[in-house]
Amino acid sequence: HLNHSLAELNGNINVSFEFFPAKNENMETMLWDSIHRLAPLKPKFVSVTYGANSGERDRTHSIVKRIRNETGLIAAPHLTGIDATPDELREIARDYWDNGIRNIVALRGDIPAGYTKPPFYALDLVKLLKEVADFDISVAAYPEVHPEAKSAQADLIYLKQKVEAGANRAITQFFFDVDSYLRFRDRCVAVGIEVEIVPGILPVTNFKQLQKMATLTNVKIPGWMNKMYEGLDNDQTTRNLVAASIAMDMVKILSKEGVKDFHFYTLNRSELTYAICHTLGVRPVS
Ligand code: FAD
């Protein structure tokens, strides 16, 4: 039934791909190979992360520029507000706009240890960006609640404020419990959030690393996943196949539930994301 309904959806699916700045020459090659492999799928946009407090904003910017030049795709830099003053942020925003960048993923960033500045939220960045120019803005959302949130309801209301301030869509933190995403989407609708809540899909090829990250991010790893990756610590090939299979199941259920926009955390790799997009009916456009 799932495959049948997917066939009917062909052509209606929008995808976006997230990349991060490479840290060495090998990773640089992998990044550009992946961008060129995925570009013909004509994503709605691609985005490039920015490591708050690591001074890599220039790298994010130059990758975004190069993606536009080499592929013609819409490329959105991630921008975090926590590590810059409002004046600096306005200057960056103006510079992006003057360079033809119209799409930004606006985030707070993680709070550095020993941080003493006044509180800053992604909402402040959305407002600031909209004051500078009419950017297309994506913001972050957390189906399983942001780890610092006072409550799930408070987290949801702050998301609503970001949307009311002008965010065009929300991209979720990755998740593996599809029901938690679907419930979250319902709750967004119930409080009057009218933009797409785009599920962030992470194909998990490194389960050990995920286990470490899960606590920090407040993302639940369902018991069945432990079982799926059992005994595969030294078997990358099988892990990749398992990762693709899990993500394919997720996107099939989500698209059957009416989801039309998917964001992929590619980790700068193309094979799995390409295959998962293929199962969604997304084909290269020449
Ligand atoms: P906010 O929306 O500001 O929320 C942060 C916390 O504050 C939440 O707990 C919220 O409930 C609470 N809050 C919000 N408003 C208020 C208020 N007015 N009063 C009190 N509490 C409030 N990090 C990077 O450094 N670089 C990246 O490139 C990057 N990309 C990301 C992409 C996606 C799709 C996602 C989901 C996350 C990304 N992150 C990135 C991580 C992000 O920076 C962290 O999760 C950060 O801790 C929160 O950012 P936010 O934009 O969600 O913040």
Side-chain angles (χ1 to χ4, degrees):
H1 289 304
L2 279 177
N3 288 329
H4 178 70
S5 66
L6 275 185
E8 286 166 2
L9 282 170
N10 271 3
N12 284 330
I13 300 288
N14 296 308
V15 293
S16 53
F17 303 132
E18 181 173 312
F19 301 99
F20 63 85
K23 292 191 174 60
N24 59 45
E25 233 170 84
N26 283 346
M27 284 175 75
E28 182 86 14
T29 308
M30 187 170 87
L31 167 66
W32 290 101
D33 286 351
S34 298
I35 290 171
H36 287 292
R37 168 80 168 139
L38 293 169
L41 297 180
K42 290 285 177 283
K44 193 167 175 178
F45 65 93
V46 299
S47 77
V48 181
T49 65
Y50 163 62
N53 316 306
S54 70
E56 66 180 20
R57 191 177 293 118
D58 290 345
R59 290 168 66 211
T60 300
H61 190 177
S62 65
I63 296 167
V64 161
K65 262 198 265 181
R66 191 172 151 192
I67 292 176
R68 279 200 318 178
N69 291 342
E70 291 187 12
T71 67
L73 294 174
I74 293 175
H78 291 212
L79 179 59
T80 57
I82 195 92
D83 52 339
T85 66
D87 281 342
E88 283 165 351
L89 291 170
R90 271 187 281 272
E91 199 183 311
I92 293 160
R94 263 184 229 112
D95 184 51
Y96 275 148
W97 189 265
D98 292 344
N99 279 284
I101 291 164
R102 300 286 178 264
N103 302 63
I104 291 186
V105 182
L107 306 143
R108 184 194 67 180
D110 287 319
I111 298 179
Y115 184 81
T116 51
K117 273 205 316 188
F120 182 95
Y121 300 104
L123 171 65
D124 304 314
L125 180 57
V126 174
K127 286 181 183 164
L128 182 149
L129 289 171
K130 281 289 181 186
E131 278 163 22
V132 171
D134 192 18
F135 286 102
D136 173 287
I137 299 176
S138 303
V139 292
Y142 303 85
E144 294 173 297
V145 187
H146 185 264
E148 288 159 42
K150 274 179 260 172
S151 68
Q153 191 61 16
D155 212 24
L156 194 63
I157 296 306
Y158 295 137
L159 173 62
K160 187 178 184 201
Q161 290 177 359
K162 291 193 280 192
V163 173
E164 283 169 351
N168 300 77
R169 74 193 58 74
I171 301 172
T172 77
Q173 175 65 283
F174 59 83
F175 58 89
F176 306 103
D177 177 2
V178 172
D179 285 338
S180 74
Y181 165 85
L182 293 172
R183 277 195 301 272
F184 178 69
R185 190 180 60 165
D186 288 347
R187 294 179 60 232
C188 287
V189 172
V191 296
I193 296 173
E194 287 176 350
V195 298
E196 286 302 324
I197 308 297
V198 183
I201 305 295
L202 175 69
V204 179
T205 53
N206 189 338
F207 189 63
K208 274 194 161 166
Q209 199 178 33
L210 174 74
Q211 284 174 311
K212 281 187 209 145
M213 251 161 40
T215 338
L216 293 173
T217 52
N218 204 31
V219 172
K220 265 191 271 54
I221 301 181
W224 56 262
M225 261 182 103
N226 288 296
K227 201 81 192 148
M228 286 287 262
Y229 287 94
E230 198 176 74
L232 297 181
D233 285 357
N234 300 312
D235 185 350
Q236 180 75 63
T237 308
T238 310
R239 281 209 309 272
N240 287 355
L241 293 169
V242 167
S245 159
I246 292 173
M248 283 169 183
D249 284 348
M250 283 177 68
V251 300
K252 281 181 191 176
I253 298 168
L254 290 168
S255 65
K256 193 158 186 273
E257 293 288 341
V259 175
K260 302 242 181 298
D261 292 54
F262 293 88
H263 184 78
F264 289 90
Y265 295 105
T266 68
L267 303 183
N268 293 354
R269 295 174 179 276
S270 61
E271 304 87 352
L272 298 189
T273 297
Y274 194 96
I276 299 156
C277 286
H278 186 90
T279 64
L280 275 169
V282 178
R283 300 288 186 272
V285 181
S286 55

